[in-house]
Amino acid sequence: MAASASTLDLGSSLTVAPERSQGETTALMIAWAASEPHRIGELAFFESEGGAQILGRGGPRDGSGVERTVFYRQRPGCVERTADLAGPGLSREQLRVRPEGSRLRIERIGRCAMEVRGERVDRCVLEPGDTLLLKGQLLLFCTRRPRKLAPLTSAKLADAPAFGAPDSHGIVGECPAVWHLRDRIAWMATADEHTLLLGGSGSGKELAARAVHALSARARGPFIARNAATIPASLIDAELFGNVKGYPNPGMPERPGLIGAANGGTLFLDEIGELPEGLQANLLRVLDEGGEYHCLGAAVAKRSHFRLIGATNRDPAALKHDVGARLVLRLEVPGLDERRDDVPFLARHLLRRAAAKSPDAVRRFLAARSDGDPEPAVGATLIDHLMRRRYTTNLRELDALLWRAMSTSQGSEIEWSERSPSVAAPPPVAIEASESPAGASEPPPEIPDPSADRVRASLEEHGGNITRAAQALGLSSRYVLYRLMRKYGLSAE
């Protein structure tokens, strides 16, 4: 059914699929709040078998038996209930929210206008990955979350920063994928073995490597970082192992090389997968127990007690097999499509960094906060665009989008507009619609959905891991896979 002026159904079917059995619940997350910006990241949960809830300003009216929507801050092992919404433009009874499987059927019953994808509606059905704007007041993001995050096994919650703030290693985020990453980093810091970091371009692999080093027994030693793809093939031995004085030319100073400079610490080789196999072989002996190597021109072997952390955005199978075997540990760093819930936190962090780096460029957008420190003011259109976008270069792309939005914003808030110069990346995640508006240009041919057998096989191959199965199927995000699972009546088990 095509969207009317008052109703928009974002689901592909009215059939309600059973809840998936991975302990996840559909939730609405505050992605932007005009009068309460400190509340971004808070969650309201909607059980699939639960009844309708009323979302609005303040608490329930006296004697009202209708269940009210409650928001929480979620961290591993603990869930903290937060205050009632206080946005002055919200009605006490603004939305009626009814869960239907993993979807939410929403009806506007208050005075604040409701928009979905820029279209004013009175009713809609939200899928995970969709956004809903209460005009000028609140932007909500539909997501899937476990009711409780598993307790940490290696990291310490006592060391955690304020909610949504960067931790001591610069890692920002509150979603399950980031807390799992922090826990894995803490454990890997205790395991003094060569390590391979896996993740897309711009996902933060070097940040993770620095965190492993800082938490390890090697923290007092050096952290040496180099992009392996920039090392010329003819100079790789000299770059890695250094040279003695006067070699290969008279007057040449002695150089320790990357291996020698990292003695007692960590050597981080980014894009290690870009090294040709023949050059990867140069690392084999020094990665063995003992770290033995030869400087160029030296007659006697040296030893370096270092830990190698390599990083690649390639399949680890692309590494020379015996190099891969020496990189004993694996750590996956999630990209933005796997941690979309953290986009508002990351945008805030990057804008603060931009204000510190280029104060004159950002000064126009700074607004006073309750604690007195200025904060870049962002509009709902910007966060809405960032939440629904598909990312290819992750944080680099997000940073570029923020700068482009600032360059075209006319007022004192950073907004997204069609004038914002494009970034070389796929378009925002599309909301399904059965008809195009009259007069619209002919849409590009649709790519057919993978069959039920392909979806089932991918889920089985990846042990029910939604993100990996979606990537293997070539889908734009895990939310598309959720839709296909409902369509075919599949579960992740």
Side-chain angles (χ1 to χ4, degrees):
M1 182 178 69
S4 70
S6 62
T7 304
L8 184 63
D9 189 336
L10 304 186
S12 55
S13 168
L14 294 179
T15 303
V16 179
E19 187 86 341
R20 296 190 315 107
S21 57
Q22 279 195 317
E24 287 188 338
T25 302
T26 302
L28 287 176
M29 186 195 82
I30 298 176
W32 175 87
S35 62
E36 300 179 283
H38 61 280
R39 302 197 64 160
I40 65 171
E42 293 182 10
L43 296 156
F45 295 95
F46 300 87
E47 299 290 348
S48 62
E49 303 301 325
Q53 297 182 23
I54 299 298
L55 184 152
R57 173 176 50 82
R61 298 181 185 277
D62 293 339
S64 173
V66 181
E67 183 179 359
R68 300 282 294 188
T69 297
V70 176
F71 284 90
Y72 300 90
R73 286 184 172 182
Q74 185 187 55
R75 280 188 156 177
C78 64
V79 178
E80 174 193 357
R81 178 171 175 167
T82 56
D84 296 326
L85 294 174
L90 297 175
S91 299
R92 291 180 66 85
E93 296 186 355
Q94 178 62 50
L95 300 178
R96 180 179 288 113
V97 184
R98 185 181 301 277
E100 296 182 348
S102 63
R103 303 185 302 172
L104 299 175
R105 186 169 292 278
I106 298 179
E107 178 185 4
R108 180 178 73 89
I109 55 177
R111 66 178 181 272
C112 186
M114 181 171 75
E115 291 186 3
V116 177
R117 198 82 190 271
E119 186 174 350
R120 184 168 294 193
V121 296
D122 292 327
R123 297 175 183 83
C124 67
V125 175
L126 294 187
E127 301 267 8
D130 294 332
T131 57
L132 180 151
L133 176 65
L134 291 172
K135 189 70 172 176
Q137 298 297 314
L138 205 62
L139 180 68
L140 300 171
F141 177 67
C142 186
T143 186
R144 297 279 293 175
R145 284 284 192 96
R147 264 287 194 169
K148 290 185 178 180
L149 301 186
L152 301 172
T153 58
S154 298
K156 296 178 181 178
L157 193 57
D159 299 332
F163 189 76
D167 63 24
S168 58
H169 310 295
I171 298 172
V172 177
E174 297 289 343
C175 75
V178 171
W179 279 109
H180 178 68
L181 174 67
R182 289 184 173 117
D183 208 29
R184 291 278 291 157
I185 285 173
W187 182 84
M188 289 199 169
T190 66
D192 195 30
E193 296 288 345
H194 300 310
T195 303
L196 181 64
L197 303 185
L198 304 169
S201 175
S203 58
K205 297 186 290 296
E206 182 170 347
L207 205 61
R210 290 183 180 275
V212 170
H213 171 76
L215 291 171
S216 74
R218 298 177 177 273
R220 294 183 179 274
F223 181 89
I224 307 297
R226 180 68 188 269
N227 188 318
T230 66
I231 303 176
S234 59
L235 299 178
I236 188 166
D237 284 335
E239 288 292 314
L240 288 175
F241 308 121
N243 57 270
V244 298
K245 184 177 180 179
Y247 186 91
N249 300 311
M252 180 75 74
E254 182 178 3
R255 295 172 62 245
L258 297 173
I259 301 293
N263 186 30
T266 302
L267 172 59
F268 174 65
L269 285 183
D270 197 9
E271 297 190 42
I272 193 172
E274 303 303 315
L275 284 175
E277 281 199 5
L279 301 184
Q280 292 180 33
N282 296 37
L283 290 167
L284 295 178
R285 185 167 182 80
V286 75
L287 292 180
D288 285 334
E289 194 74 27
E292 186 176 282
Y293 70 102
H294 280 81
C295 280
L296 296 184
V300 179
K302 290 188 173 184
R303 294 183 183 274
S304 179
H305 181 57
F306 76 106
R307 178 182 189 172
L308 175 65
I309 300 182
T312 183
N313 54 20
R314 291 174 173 263
D315 187 324
L319 287 171
K320 185 176 173 63
H321 71 278
D322 37 9
V323 171
R326 287 164 170 81
L327 296 170
V328 176
L329 302 179
R330 299 283 192 276
L331 176 63
E332 294 190 18
V333 180
L336 287 189
D337 286 341
E338 300 168 70
R339 48 179 301 207
R340 196 174 295 273
D341 298 9
D342 287 333
V343 166
F345 292 130
L346 291 163
R348 182 177 66 186
H349 173 67
L350 291 172
L351 287 171
R352 287 174 177 172
R353 191 172 72 178
K357 179 182 179 182
S358 305
D360 291 341
V362 185
R363 184 174 291 115
R364 172 162 57 95
F365 305 111
L366 295 180
R369 295 187 301 176
S370 57
D371 61 7
D373 293 331
E375 175 93 346
V378 299
T381 57
L382 175 62
I383 301 301
D384 185 39
H385 179 82
L386 298 178
M387 294 299 294
R388 292 187 293 107
R389 186 182 181 85
R390 296 198 303 269
Y391 292 88
T392 54
T393 55
N394 298 294
L395 291 175
R396 293 191 188 98
E397 185 177 335
L398 177 59
D399 193 41
L401 287 166
L402 292 171
W403 278 106
R404 284 157 173 76
M406 283 189 280
S407 73
T408 57
S409 294
Q410 301 298 311
S412 59
E413 280 192 345
I414 307 169
E415 297 277 5
W416 183 263
S417 74
E418 296 306 316
R419 296 189 305 274
S420 300
S422 62
V423 177
V429 176
I431 295 176
E432 296 176 3
S434 57
E435 295 181 12
S436 299
S441 59
E442 187 69 22
E446 294 186 0
I447 300 174
D449 288 336
S451 67
D453 289 340
R454 281 190 62 202
V455 173
R456 184 184 295 107
S458 185
L459 288 167
E460 291 175 354
E461 180 182 352
H462 295 91
N465 185 296
I466 299 294
T467 299
R468 291 182 184 174
Q471 291 172 344
L473 289 166
L475 303 177
S476 60
S477 74
R478 59 192 175 104
Y479 299 113
V480 178
L481 182 53
Y482 286 144
R483 175 180 64 79
L484 292 175
M485 291 166 65
R486 280 192 305 277
K487 176 180 177 182
Y488 298 135
L490 303 175
S491 73
E493 292 186 320

